[in-house]
């Protein structure tokens, strides 16, 4: 069903060089009160290359666990009551101005009262919109409660994140043995492929686009594949099912596949 003529349109090599797609760079951002999450992140850093940012509350020395977790619980209650208002969130002293450099962000957080710890929520409330279309990994530390509430918070605060499934739940009692759990999780989310740029895009209607070893391979019936860089520039427009990606700089691209007049858009990472 190749209705339009073959028209591979790899733009001039010189102009491709001028294009700077995102590198596959990872940021770990975390909050930790009693350092379980800190210990998890310390281990994670032995397994992947990443920049790390620790979120710090603006007010130091607060004991969130005192009086049966009274302060921490009150902070969560305030957020739940009015989640769209920055004033509901405890102030933090942490900021970042280079989020655009990262294609993957791993959020590591304690669970408080079945929710994401309040200072981490503040960070994501402020920066969540800048995490749109990035790969988001979620690691949660809790004493015993399940993490679905924290996942819901992450989805609310990063509405357009590309969440890597599953999230990783590490109980406090497992912290000292977290190495293999993290190792297995990185395998589950196919972290190496994110970094190596082997991209797979599964689309409705049985079409998939796989990028590996310098080739973009489309399987299934489709009419057109268009590839854009992150700045929205069209690099490729084709109905071929096997396309060389030589000449494209490694990084994140946007693939648009057209089937029967309908289009689907997905991110794909390319590494030649
Ligand atoms: C304010 C507060 C509320 C908490 N609420 C829960 C809870 O509802 N369920 C649970 O299993 N653990 C709860 N915990 C325990 C933490 O999730 C757990 O100790 C976690 O490992 C702490 O991570 P951290 O050491 O990085 O701060 C709570 C801890 C605090 C400080």
């Amino acid at each position: 069903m190749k209705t339009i003529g073959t028209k591979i349109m790899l733009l001039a090599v010189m102009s491709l060089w001028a294009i700077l797609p995102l590198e596959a760079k990872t940021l770990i951002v975390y909050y930790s009160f009693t350092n379980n999450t800190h210990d998890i992140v310390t281990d994670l850093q032995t397994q992947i290359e990443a920049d790390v940012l620790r979120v710090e509350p603006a007010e130091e020395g607060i004991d969130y666990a005192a009086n049966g977790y009274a302060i921490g619980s009150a902070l969560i209650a305030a957020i739940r009551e009015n989640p769209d208002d920055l004033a509901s969130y405890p102030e933090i002293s942490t900021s970042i101005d280079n989020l655009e450099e990262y294609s993957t962000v791993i959020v590591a957080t304690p669970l408080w009262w079945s929710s994401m710890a309040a200072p981490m929520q503040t960070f994501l409330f402020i920066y969540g919109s800048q995490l749109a279309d990035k790969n988001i990994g979620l690691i949660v530390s809790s004493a015993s409660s399940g993490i679905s509430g924290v996942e819901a918070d992450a989805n609310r605060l990063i509405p357009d994140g590309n969440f890597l499934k599953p999230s990783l739940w590490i109980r406090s009692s497992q912290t000292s043995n977290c190495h293999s759990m993290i190792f297995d999780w990185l395998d589950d989310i196919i972290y190496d492929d994110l970094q190596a740029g082997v991209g797979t895009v599964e689309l409705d209607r049985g079409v998939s686009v796989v990028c590996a070893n310098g080739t973009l391979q489309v399987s299934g019936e489709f009419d057109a594949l268009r590839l854009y860089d992150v700045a929205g520039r069209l690099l490729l427009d084709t109905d071929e099912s096997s396309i060389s990606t030589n000449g494209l700089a490694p990084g994140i691209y946007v693939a648009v596949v057209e089937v029967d007049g309908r289009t689907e858009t997905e991110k794909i990472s390319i590494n030649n």
Side-chain angles (χ1 to χ4, degrees), residues 55 129 164 196 233:
V55 173
S129 62
L164 304 168
R233 285 171 287 219

Side-chain angles (χ1 to χ4, degrees), residues 3 83 185 206 226 241 256 260 268:
T3 55
W185 178 67
R226 287 184 282 277
S241 55
V256 177
D260 291 339
I268 191 157

